[in-house]
Amino acid sequence: ARPSRLRLTSVLFPIARSRISTRPLLDAPEPFAASLAASARQHLAFPVDDKNWRNWHNMHPNLFRHGVCLYELDAAQRERALDLLRVTSSVAGYDTARNVMRLNEHVAELTARRGEYDEWFDSNLIRVLSVCAVAGIILLIWRELSVKEPILDLRVLKDKSLAGGAGFGIVLGVALYGSIFAVPIYTQQLLGWDAETSGWVLFPGAIGSAVAMIFLARLGSKIKDLRWVALAGAVLLCASMVLHSRFTTESGRGDMLWPITLRGFATGCMFIPLATYAVGGLRGRSLAHGSALFNLARQLGGSVGIAVLANLLTHQAALHRADLVSNLVAGSPVTDARVSAITRGMIARGADAHSAAQQALAILNGLVQRQATMLAFRDIFLMVAAIIAVSIPLIMLLRKPATSGVRMGDH
């Protein structure tokens, strides 16, 4: 709740004495709070204008969850929590909440999946796999650096050109695979397009990449320093992500044509110079190891990028929804006018007054969710643009090969 947006409307609830005491509502939280440890109580009570209230919702997209969950409590604490819910809800509301909890648990038992019950590190499986992954990476690095004939020679990363190329290869993977992942979800979820149409939307990007590679194949040997081509590609890729962030819920295929084409052309301009210059100073077996590491970096960037962007998409959508909902204040002229207009439209289509009011609220909720998701897509596109912009200096670590001119077929 934002104090600056609070206002009194006297006609809604006239001030008058009643025989109903509010004391049970005031006393209800005390037994539950008293049953918790001090560390848990810190996550339970906040001032009314605290921003933490806006992080509470039924979804768990955050890596570290806010609040206290029932399944983390013992039997006595859980019973006190349910007593608090019972006192502060109507009889029908409490029964509905409990039935939803039971249904959720039954579905989890039937499918053997807990869905979003557990955060990443609340799951024993995730903890075990995380420890194994970290241990595996450490053992891999130790092993490859301690033997004379390693399968993957990590020592070649001492070459600054390869290190810079691999570093920017990770960024290239995040931008390329991340945007390819995000655009179809955007077109299908928000615009309602089918899979075939969403696939054709990505096609101009392939054309852009092909044009860039043909351009470099024809003129690459005439360009003295391809780092400037890679730098131009990075700037264009950053610009294309900014253009992606301007998509709306009303965008069409024509609006996406040039941003997606520009993204493809930019990645095409970057890939060949990065791949060529990153390993340009290596010879013999070091060249093979360097090429493998560069490709590995790009693939890792894509995999990590998709995972992180998928999590951020859910997270940002929840945050934007909470922010948008805070503007839908009962009694607000704008909100009331919109609900009334939708309600009249439903009545004109044959719905009764009660059903029309319920449908109006459902439609308004759908509009809010749609806009929140659109803002989340905007955030992840801008985040990718920022990552690219920050990583541009890595391109200047690339070393121009000693030979005069770069042959495109060397890599």
Side-chain angles (χ1 to χ4, degrees):
R2 297 180 179 177
S4 60
R5 294 185 179 178
L6 295 179
R7 61 192 184 91
L8 295 177
T9 305
S10 59
V11 297
L12 292 179
F13 302 101
I15 299 176
R17 292 183 179 276
S18 69
R19 298 179 181 180
I20 301 175
S21 173
T22 59
R23 177 52 56 185
L25 294 176
L26 297 175
D27 293 340
E30 297 300 330
F32 176 52
S35 69
L36 299 176
S39 58
R41 284 198 297 271
Q42 292 178 356
H43 300 286
L44 186 66
F46 302 97
V48 70
D49 59 345
D50 194 289
K51 66 179 182 179
N52 279 287
W53 289 106
R54 301 171 66 186
N55 292 325
W56 287 35
H57 40 71
N58 285 332
M59 299 160 54
H60 305 312
N62 298 322
L63 183 60
F64 299 105
R65 187 178 52 254
H66 300 272
V68 178
C69 287
L70 286 177
Y71 77 92
E72 295 176 339
L73 307 177
D74 59 35
Q77 292 171 332
R78 192 178 299 114
E79 191 60 35
R80 287 188 174 90
L82 294 176
D83 287 340
L84 173 60
L85 179 62
R86 185 183 299 109
V87 172
T88 55
S89 305
S90 65
V91 175
Y94 177 77
D95 289 341
T96 299
R98 291 295 287 136
N99 288 334
V100 169
M101 292 179 188
R102 295 186 184 102
L103 178 61
N104 197 32
E105 189 64 28
H106 288 327
V107 171
E109 292 174 355
L110 290 173
T111 61
R113 296 173 60 187
R114 294 187 64 85
E116 292 185 333
Y117 256 76
D118 294 324
E119 298 298 340
W120 285 3
F121 296 107
D122 288 335
S123 168
N124 289 329
L125 176 62
I126 295 297
R127 286 197 291 262
V128 170
L129 292 178
S130 299
V131 171
C132 291
V134 172
I137 292 172
I138 294 174
L139 287 174
L140 172 67
I141 295 174
W142 172 78
R143 174 67 179 174
E144 297 305 298
L145 293 178
S146 60
V147 297
K148 293 183 178 180
E149 299 292 336
I151 297 176
L152 185 62
D153 191 359
L154 300 178
R155 298 180 185 89
V156 295
L157 287 174
K158 293 179 180 179
D159 185 276
K160 291 183 180 180
S161 185
L162 176 61
F168 205 86
I170 293 175
V171 176
L172 182 61
V174 171
L176 178 60
Y177 296 110
S179 60
I180 290 176
F181 151 79
V183 170
I185 296 178
Y186 156 68
T187 57
Q188 293 180 53
Q189 285 190 358
L190 295 184
L191 303 183
W193 297 356
D194 56 33
E196 182 180 359
T197 305
S198 300
W200 279 111
V201 167
L202 297 175
F203 182 68
I207 298 298
S209 294
V211 170
M213 291 185 180
I214 292 173
F215 164 76
L216 287 175
R218 294 292 185 91
L219 302 178
S221 59
K222 299 179 181 180
I223 300 175
K224 294 183 179 180
D225 193 343
L226 287 177
R227 289 181 301 178
W228 296 109
V229 176
L231 181 61
V235 173
L236 291 176
L237 184 58
C238 187
S240 74
M241 291 296 102
V242 173
L243 293 176
H244 277 61
S245 72
R246 296 183 178 179
F247 293 162
T248 70
T249 55
E250 304 297 328
S251 295
R253 293 179 64 174
D255 301 310
M256 303 178 197
L257 174 63
W258 292 113
I260 292 176
T261 303
L262 182 62
R263 185 203 67 202
F265 182 81
T267 54
C269 288
M270 294 170 60
F271 179 75
I272 291 180
L274 286 175
T276 304
Y277 277 33
V279 299
L282 303 177
R283 296 291 182 272
R285 295 191 62 183
S286 295
L287 177 61
H289 288 295
S291 179
L293 283 171
F294 175 78
N295 290 318
L296 175 64
R298 191 178 71 255
Q299 295 297 329
L300 282 178
S303 300
V304 173
I306 291 174
V308 171
L309 292 180
N311 185 60
L312 285 174
L313 182 62
T314 306
H315 179 220
Q316 293 301 109
L319 290 182
H320 284 301
R321 175 181 171 79
D323 184 54
L324 292 173
V325 167
S326 68
N327 294 289
L328 299 178
V329 182
S332 166
V334 176
T335 303
D336 291 347
R338 188 64 179 272
V339 173
S340 298
I342 299 175
T343 302
R344 289 194 299 270
M346 294 297 104
I347 293 175
R349 296 182 180 182
D352 60 82
H354 177 73
S355 299
Q358 296 299 317
Q359 292 172 8
L361 294 177
I363 291 173
L364 190 61
N365 176 67
L367 291 173
V368 170
Q369 185 61 46
R370 197 168 179 226
Q371 292 299 325
T373 306
M374 186 68 254
L375 291 172
F377 278 108
R378 181 204 64 180
D379 290 346
I380 64 174
F381 286 133
L382 289 177
M383 190 173 300
V384 172
I387 293 173
I388 296 169
V390 171
S391 304
I392 284 178
L394 291 174
I395 295 177
M396 304 316 295
L397 292 178
L398 297 175
R399 184 173 60 252
K400 185 179 178 181
T403 56
S404 59
V406 178
R407 295 172 298 173
M408 295 295 108
D410 283 351
H411 177 61

